[in-house]
Amino acid sequence: SVAVTDFVAVLRADRWIVLNGGVFSLVACESATVCISEAIAGLVGTDVVRSPRGDRAALLARPASPGGPTNGMPVVDVAGGAIGYHVPALSGVQGAAFTPEGDTLFLAGDSAGAPALAAVFAADGARLATRTLGLSPCAVAVDGAQRWLYVAGKTTSSPDPQSVLQVLDRTTLNAVTTLHVMGAAGYGSGLCRIVQNPIERRVYVVTTWAGEHNPDAHAQLYSFETPR
């Protein structure tokens, strides 16, 4: 049996990621009765992003202690049932996305206390490119039909940070445009996700929050037109 308070991500029939009380554990079963669970210490986890190939899974997490040391963010080798490699460019990851072919992994998070975006080979973690971000990210998505990479989050400028969706060329990581959310509470302070609708050429940012007068969770949806 496996204790869990958050979720179980099934990577394949005999490989799971368990998030229990914010702590990730990797469960690998070699038979119907023999399973090994290994905790991934030092991190507070939030989610798992799986490769379309099914061979890798990126863990979204931050250090358990603010400013605590890490050797980079872990990526799971599903077949091996273990951490395949770490991405040292980032000490925390809020968003991740694989290309449709599963060969490249993009991660957005913290690098030495500043927001950053990293691109690595999904197979071995070899670095392709990194760049700083002018926003604190909460999600990343790769356009399945065009060359765009989307990063959602909140600008780091003060005193009035804004929720934005930044569009980048995924081959160069150069910014193409930044779309702002106007006149709304916005997103970027917590969990958010990017959902694409290629037929209508739209991208949606979905966020959840606990309403002040309603203890139940609510979802907010923000719609953007994609560049042509």
Side-chain angles (χ1 to χ4, degrees):
S1 62
V2 177
V4 57
T5 59
D6 299 303
F7 65 75
V8 175
V10 179
L11 306 181
R12 69 183 202 187
D14 56 354
R15 300 285 189 268
W16 318 330
I17 292 290
V18 176
L19 186 61
N20 184 40
V23 178
F24 280 125
S25 294
L26 175 57
V27 180
C29 298
E30 301 307 326
S31 70
T33 58
V34 178
C35 295
I36 298 174
S37 177
E38 181 178 356
I40 302 173
L43 298 175
V44 176
T46 57
D47 206 353
V48 179
V49 177
R50 283 157 280 197
S51 165
R53 292 180 178 177
D55 61 340
R56 297 288 182 266
L59 305 184
L60 307 191
R62 58 178 172 80
S65 301
T70 70
N71 58 348
M73 286 294 102
V75 177
V76 173
D77 175 354
V78 177
I83 300 301
Y85 58 84
H86 292 78
V87 180
L90 299 173
S91 57
V93 172
Q94 288 80 44
F98 291 87
T99 53
E101 301 79 18
D103 56 352
T104 304
L105 170 61
F106 298 94
L107 305 108
D110 301 315
S111 176
L117 176 69
V120 301
F121 278 116
D124 58 9
R127 187 174 70 174
L128 294 171
T130 58
R131 62 157 293 162
T132 58
L133 290 171
L135 67 151
S136 179
C138 63
V140 180
V142 174
D143 193 303
Q146 300 190 66
R147 66 182 189 276
W148 312 130
L149 178 71
Y150 305 106
V151 181
K154 184 168 286 188
T155 59
T156 55
S157 60
S158 59
D160 298 312
Q162 287 187 318
S163 298
V164 297
L165 179 70
Q166 191 166 70
V167 184
L168 303 99
D169 185 322
R170 74 179 194 230
T171 61
T172 63
L173 296 191
N174 291 332
V176 175
T177 187
T178 300
L179 308 173
H180 294 256
V181 174
M182 307 299 293
Y187 54 80
S189 300
L191 178 70
C192 80
R193 292 292 177 266
I194 299 172
V195 181
Q196 301 176 58
N197 183 341
I199 296 176
E200 296 183 356
R201 302 184 65 89
R202 289 187 177 275
V203 172
Y204 303 96
V205 178
V206 184
T207 185
T208 62
W209 58 283
E212 181 180 355
H213 303 294
N214 188 337
D216 297 330
H218 299 268
Q220 292 176 293
L221 183 69
Y222 301 84
S223 176
F224 303 88
E225 292 187 6
T226 61
R228 296 183 181 275

